[in-house]
Amino acid sequence: MLHLPSIQICCLSDNKYKDSSSKTLKFKESNSRTTTTYKKGYLNKESKPQNVNLEISPHRAVSAVRLMRIEFGGAFADLLNEKGKGSGDNEMGYVERTLGFCTRDLDDRDLRVVTDIVGGTIRWRKYLDYLILSLCHDPNGFSRMEPLLLQILRIGFYEIVKLENPSYAVINENVQLAKIALRPGAGNMVNGILRKLVSLKESNSLPSPQVEGDDRAQARALATLHSHPVWMVRRWIKYLGREEAVKLMNWNNSDPRFSLRANRGKGFTRSELVSRLETLEVPYELSPHLDDFVRISTGMQSVIQDGLLKEGLCSVQDESAGLVVSIVDPQPGETIIDCCAAPGGKTLFMAACLNGEGMVTAIDINKGRLRILKETAKLQQLNNVVTTVHADLRTFHESNSITYDKVLLDAPCSGLGVLSKRADLRWNRKSEDMEELKSLQDELLDAASMLVKPGGVLVYSTCSIDPEENEDRVAAFLLRHQEYSIDSAERYISPEFLTEHGYYFSSPVKNSLDGAFAARLLRCP
């Protein structure tokens, strides 16, 4: 198994509690490398601007540096400012600064290809590394491989094995990238390994781990085949069984599907959103669960370029998150507090439901993300019912005496329900983190419970499918707080999402949505 350098990530699910010094978690990236060093010579080249190199595929160059940023985090902190994030021009400038050469700018098709290659390479990283190691024959050489060279190989392997792109083009362009970004010898190595891969693939002789032996050995083989950490596979087999665990991993490795919510706060209806999508020729499907939501599987780039998001007419939000708001059931005139609000999707949906009457207070510990939430609320014309408060929920009650009709705690969690959209999360979690997360969730639940009016509602939610973060946390809370009882979610959601205890739960496998959980709790009058 590769061991990459320890990367400190001061965020939990959705980057919540990013500034919390007492609860900073350290996650280690893990795959099959034992050590990684990187040389300033090729990561931070000070070379003078060169002429545009048309031999280099621009989307492969950008994919390589983006994969480096994702894997090594802070080493690439100077990449893009918030305003320019995702800009092709900025990305190409970064290629020049880090790899030392220019290539042509990205067009729209290139941007889509970058998204596909980066997302797929991250998802399949463990399996790709297994193949690379199998073809290298020298484990020591693989463990010492330069990070950029490894990314180029991963890209090539992913394109050949999973995308089934024309092998001659994949080999030629990745060889050119290795030669120019590193040295001629690196290009020769890429050429030899990719050609061997193509030969094995064409003869149906690709190496494959055998699912046999004891439970541990089988879990390791399944983890490699489906490219997930072994601890996750073992945990899912324990709770779901092997067949359901494999289905879940297949879902996580599939192309992510997205939902758009029409922002009724701005007077924009789902019908109007549908009309815009039809004009853009973006295929869509109406959500069967939520009136404001539309599903799309392709065409997000067209939606972005058309300005629908920039103008605040719609938001990207999974239906699983929208159903959490259904559990809260915001009504005009109510006072609601969202305890871990940023990035604000649920906050803004709840605010839109108030029809201009009432107030949603959004608390978050991250001042920067809270500022973005405030700006988005203004963009969506919801700033008259949204108030932001920069605070740590765990100490907020010390300076606050106000109680609320409804309190939503969308708690920091492992994010194990959103791995199809957040492929990198699977490599940024380890089993030990679960205990720290559960402790934090308990603290936050206790703090949130103090903000509820007598007779009011507390909703605890996560984007996790793990029972220890969900049902177990609610059960532990109810033992500590006799003044609360379960209010079944049956009045607010379809029966397919209702658990035997009256909680809301969306299953990626069963419901084809992100995994999510919510419990509606009543405080006695």
Side-chain angles (χ1 to χ4, degrees):
M1 193 170 179
L2 293 169
H3 297 288
L4 294 174
S6 176
I7 297 175
Q8 181 168 304
I9 299 184
C10 304
C11 64
L12 307 171
S13 174
D14 287 332
N15 292 324
K16 290 171 183 173
Y17 277 70
K18 190 171 182 181
D19 299 330
S20 177
S21 58
S22 62
K23 283 297 174 183
T24 294
L25 299 183
K26 291 182 179 179
F27 301 118
K28 287 185 179 178
E29 299 260 4
S30 68
N31 55 20
S32 38
R33 301 185 70 205
T34 54
T35 59
T36 298
T37 58
Y38 32 140
K39 303 173 183 178
K40 292 181 180 178
Y42 72 85
L43 288 186
N44 294 292
K45 290 186 176 180
E46 298 296 335
S47 56
K48 295 179 180 178
Q50 302 175 19
N51 293 330
V52 173
N53 190 327
L54 297 178
E55 294 179 339
I56 301 299
S57 163
H59 69 256
R60 286 183 176 86
V62 169
S63 295
V65 296
R66 194 180 285 186
L67 286 166
M68 293 286 286
R69 291 188 348 247
I70 291 169
E71 189 161 344
F72 298 110
F76 288 81
D78 68 320
L79 172 63
L80 299 173
N81 58 39
E82 195 73 31
K83 187 178 294 185
K85 193 170 185 180
S87 161
D89 291 340
N90 281 349
E91 296 242 19
M92 296 318 298
Y94 196 70
V95 167
E96 180 183 342
R97 295 198 303 277
T98 57
L99 302 187
F101 61 82
C102 302
T103 186
R104 68 172 177 81
D105 289 340
L106 294 171
D107 58 25
D108 295 340
R109 179 185 175 280
D110 288 325
L111 287 169
R112 288 192 292 271
V113 173
V114 168
T115 299
D116 292 343
I117 287 179
V118 171
T121 302
I122 293 170
R123 286 190 193 92
W124 289 103
R125 194 174 81 185
K126 187 178 182 70
Y127 175 64
L128 298 175
D129 287 351
Y130 166 81
L131 292 178
I132 295 170
L133 179 59
S134 298
L135 271 60
C136 279
H137 292 304
D138 179 9
N140 292 326
F142 179 69
S143 67
R144 293 193 297 267
M145 190 178 293
E146 294 158 291
L148 179 59
L149 178 57
L150 179 58
Q151 303 302 344
I152 294 171
L153 282 173
R154 284 171 174 167
I155 290 170
F157 272 59
Y158 174 68
E159 289 187 281
I160 290 170
V161 175
K162 292 299 179 181
L163 293 183
E164 298 188 341
N165 287 343
S167 57
Y168 67 88
V170 175
I171 293 172
N172 179 64
E173 295 189 10
N174 280 290
V175 166
Q176 288 298 321
L177 176 58
K179 284 183 176 180
I180 300 300
L182 292 169
R183 59 194 172 279
N188 295 336
M189 179 182 179
V190 170
N191 182 57
I193 293 177
L194 290 184
R195 287 187 181 280
K196 187 170 185 178
L197 173 70
V198 171
S199 176
L200 291 173
K201 183 175 183 292
E202 289 177 347
S203 62
N204 294 317
S205 303
L206 286 176
S208 178
Q210 299 303 305
V211 184
E212 57 189 18
D214 60 18
D215 290 346
R216 287 177 178 268
Q218 291 186 34
R220 285 195 296 270
L222 288 170
T224 299
L225 279 170
H226 299 281
S227 196
H228 281 71
V230 176
W231 74 266
M232 283 187 194
V233 177
R234 297 192 67 196
R235 195 174 186 95
W236 291 336
I237 290 175
K238 171 185 174 182
Y239 286 121
L240 304 174
R242 176 170 155 177
E243 183 178 348
E244 290 300 306
V246 169
K247 288 180 181 178
L248 176 60
M249 289 188 284
N250 286 336
W251 167 266
N252 292 340
N253 287 331
S254 64
D255 291 333
R257 309 168 193 181
F258 297 94
S259 294
L260 302 174
R261 174 175 60 82
N263 288 328
R264 71 169 92 158
K266 200 160 184 176
F268 193 68
T269 67
R270 182 166 74 172
S271 296
E272 291 173 305
L273 175 57
V274 164
S275 295
R276 292 283 285 268
L277 293 176
E278 290 176 344
T279 300
L280 295 171
E281 298 184 348
V282 172
Y284 67 89
E285 178 186 347
L286 299 180
S287 166
H289 310 299
L290 294 159
D291 293 340
D292 294 339
F293 285 69
V294 173
R295 300 173 177 178
I296 63 172
S297 55
T298 61
M300 183 60 74
Q301 197 66 36
S302 298
V303 171
I304 294 170
Q305 291 174 346
D306 191 55
L308 283 165
L309 303 178
K310 188 176 182 180
E311 296 170 23
L313 298 176
C314 69
S315 303
V316 179
Q317 186 169 38
D318 197 78
E319 291 165 76
S320 62
L323 287 165
V324 171
V325 173
S326 297
I327 303 299
V328 178
D329 188 33
Q331 297 296 319
E334 290 180 334
T335 57
I336 303 172
I337 186 167
D338 189 348
C339 295
C340 300
K346 297 180 183 70
T347 302
L348 299 171
F349 189 15
M350 290 191 295
C353 294
L354 297 183
N355 295 328
E357 300 176 22
M359 182 60 65
V360 179
T361 300
I363 292 183
D364 203 88
I365 200 167
N366 188 314
K367 184 180 290 186
R369 286 161 63 84
L370 202 62
R371 183 181 65 252
I372 294 172
L373 192 163
K374 188 173 183 178
E375 292 171 354
T376 308
K378 185 176 181 180
L379 176 67
Q380 297 182 12
Q381 297 180 359
L382 294 169
N383 51 308
N384 60 321
V385 291
V386 173
T387 299
T388 58
V389 177
H390 176 232
D392 185 331
L393 175 64
R394 293 166 293 184
T395 57
F396 178 64
H397 67 277
E398 296 173 3
S399 58
N400 172 74
S401 59
I402 302 172
T403 53
Y404 300 80
D405 296 314
K406 290 171 179 172
V407 174
L408 171 62
L409 172 60
D410 186 34
C413 68
S414 64
L416 295 183
V418 297
L419 296 184
S420 69
K421 292 187 176 72
R422 289 289 311 278
D424 59 307
L425 271 182
R426 71 182 73 179
W427 312 121
N428 291 340
R429 294 288 184 263
K430 60 182 186 292
S431 58
E432 305 93 282
D433 301 327
M434 302 300 285
E435 293 305 314
E436 291 190 52
L437 283 167
K438 290 190 296 184
S439 176
L440 175 59
Q441 289 155 1
D442 287 342
E443 288 183 52
L444 295 173
L445 253 175
D446 290 340
S449 69
M450 302 174 68
L451 303 175
V452 184
K453 286 181 179 179
V457 174
L458 169 62
V459 173
Y460 171 75
S461 70
T462 72
C463 57
S464 174
I465 56 173
D466 196 286
E468 293 186 21
E469 296 185 89
N470 297 337
E471 294 91 340
D472 291 2
R473 301 280 52 79
V474 176
F477 172 80
L478 292 174
L479 287 177
R480 297 193 305 272
H481 295 270
Q482 304 295 320
E483 72 275 22
Y484 280 89
S485 60
I486 299 170
D487 182 24
S488 176
E490 62 184 340
R491 291 175 293 166
Y492 308 101
I493 54 173
S494 168
E496 66 184 284
F497 298 108
L498 192 68
T499 74
E500 60 180 334
H501 296 295
Y503 303 139
Y504 155 67
F505 181 73
S506 63
S507 162
V509 173
K510 177 183 174 183
N511 307 115
S512 297
L513 302 176
D514 285 348
F517 169 87
R520 184 178 166 99
L521 306 170
L522 288 181
R523 183 170 187 171
C524 63

